[in-house]
C-alpha cells in the first residue's frame, strides 16, 4: 500500500514539474529569450508548404496556427528566430483579422516589424516608402542609410490605424576583424569583396582616410547595396608592427 502511494505521489510530482516547465518555457518564449522576436508583417510569397513574410522571414505551413491558408498580402504576427539556412525563420505564425485593428490591444502596445530604409532626408527617414521616423528614435551609434535592413518597434493608433516608430535599430550586425579594403571608387568602397561602405555614412578615426589594401576592423550591418548584403558603419585601421 505504501509503495502504491509512493508511486502515485511521484507521478503527480512529475506532472506538476512538467506543468511548471511548460509555464517557464512559455514565459521564456514571450519575455526572456532574446533570441526570439515577435514581429508583425505581411505575407509576400506563398508556395505549397512554405512562404515568406516581408520577403525576409521564412515560414513552413505547419507553424501557422489553426492550419489557416495564408494569401499574399495577409497581415500576420510571427515569433521568429535567427536561422543559419534561412536567416530568419518563424516558429509560429498567426493570421491577423483586418477588422480587429490591433487585436484589441491598447494604443501604447509596442510591436516589432522588419523593414528596409527606402529614403533618407535631413533629420528623418522612411521605411518601406510608408512609415516616417525621426532620427531621434534611432539607437545610439547607428545612422540609417538607404537599403539598410532595420528592426522597428512601433505603436499603432487604433483610432487612426497610423503607426509611430518608437525605436529603430539594425536588423543584424557583426564585427569584422583584419579585413582588406579590396575596392575603392570615389567615396565608395568594398571590404573583402563583400562589404560595401561609403564615406557619406561611415565613422572613422580622426585623421584616417581609407586606402585600398588597408587592413581594417569594421562594424557592419545588414543592408541591400547592389550585389552586397552588408554595409560598414564604422572602420578602424589595424596597425602592423
Amino acid at each position: 500500500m505504501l509503495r502504491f502511494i509512493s508511486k502515485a505521489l511521484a507521478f503527480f510530482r512529475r506532472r506538476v514539474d512538467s506543468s511548471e516547465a511548460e509555464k517557464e518555457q512559455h514565459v521564456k518564449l514571450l519575455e526572456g529569450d532574446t533570441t526570439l522576436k515577435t514581429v508583425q508583417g505581411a505575407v509576400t510569397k506563398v508556395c505549397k508548404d512554405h512562404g515568406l513574410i516581408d520577403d525576409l522571414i521564412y515560414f513552413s505551413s505547419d507553424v501557422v496556427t489553426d492550419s489557416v491558408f495564408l494569401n499574399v498580402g495577409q497581415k500576420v504576427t510571427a515569433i521568429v528566430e535567427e536561422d543559419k539556412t534561412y536567416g530568419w525563420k518563424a516558429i509560429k505564425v498567426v493570421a491577423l483579422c483586418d477588422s480587429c485593428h490591433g487585436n484589441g490591444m491598447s494604443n501604447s502596445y509596442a510591436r516589432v516589424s522588419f523593414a528596409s530604409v527606402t529614403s533618407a532626408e535631413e533629420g528623418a527617414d522612411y521605411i518601406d516608402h510608408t512609415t516616417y521616423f525621426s532620427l531621434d528614435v534611432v539607437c545610439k551609434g547607428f545612422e540609417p542609410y538607404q537599403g539598410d535592413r532595420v528592426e522597428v518597434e512601433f505603436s499603432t493608433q487604433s483610432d487612426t490605424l497610423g503607426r509611430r516608430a518608437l525605436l529603430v535599430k539594425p536588423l543584424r550586425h557583426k564585427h569584422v576583424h583584419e579585413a582588406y579594403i579590396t575596392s575603392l571608387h570615389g567615396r565608395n568602397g568594398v571590404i573583402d569583396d563583400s562589404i560595401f561602405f561609403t564615406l557619406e555614412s561611415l565613422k572613422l578615426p580622426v585623421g584616417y582616410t581609407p586606402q585600398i589594401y588597408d587592413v581594417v576592423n569594421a562594424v557592419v550591418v545588414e543592408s541591400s547595396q547592389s550585389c552586397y548584403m552588408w554595409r560598414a558603419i564604422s572602420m578602424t585601421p589595424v596597425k602592423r608592427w
Side-chain angles (χ1 to χ4, degrees), residues 180-211:
Y180 284 92
I181 295 178
T182 51
S183 177
L184 196 59
H185 299 284
R187 298 184 63 79
N188 298 337
V190 178
I191 302 171
D192 267 1
D193 294 320
S194 59
I195 301 166
F196 170 84
F197 70 85
T198 175
L199 298 182
E200 302 296 336
S201 181
L202 181 66
K203 292 185 178 180
L204 298 168
V206 176
Y208 171 64
T209 301
Q211 301 294 330

Side-chain angles (χ1 to χ4, degrees), residues 1-11 13:
M1 182 67 177
L2 289 175
R3 182 180 299 176
F4 173 78
I5 294 175
S6 177
K7 288 183 178 180
L9 289 174
F11 171 77
R13 189 177 297 113

Side-chain angles (χ1 to χ4, degrees), residues 50-52 55-60 81-90 172 222:
H50 66 278
L52 290 177
D55 289 323
L56 179 68
I57 304 166
Y58 171 91
F59 69 90
S60 57
E81 62 182 0
E82 286 198 62
D83 183 88
K84 292 182 179 179
T85 302
Y86 301 107
W88 291 97
K89 180 180 179 181
R172 285 190 291 184
E222 186 173 3

Side-chain angles (χ1 to χ4, degrees), residues 42-45 52-57 149:
V43 176
T44 51
K45 182 178 180 180
L52 290 177
I53 299 169
D54 292 341
D55 289 323
L56 179 68
I57 304 166
R149 299 294 295 183

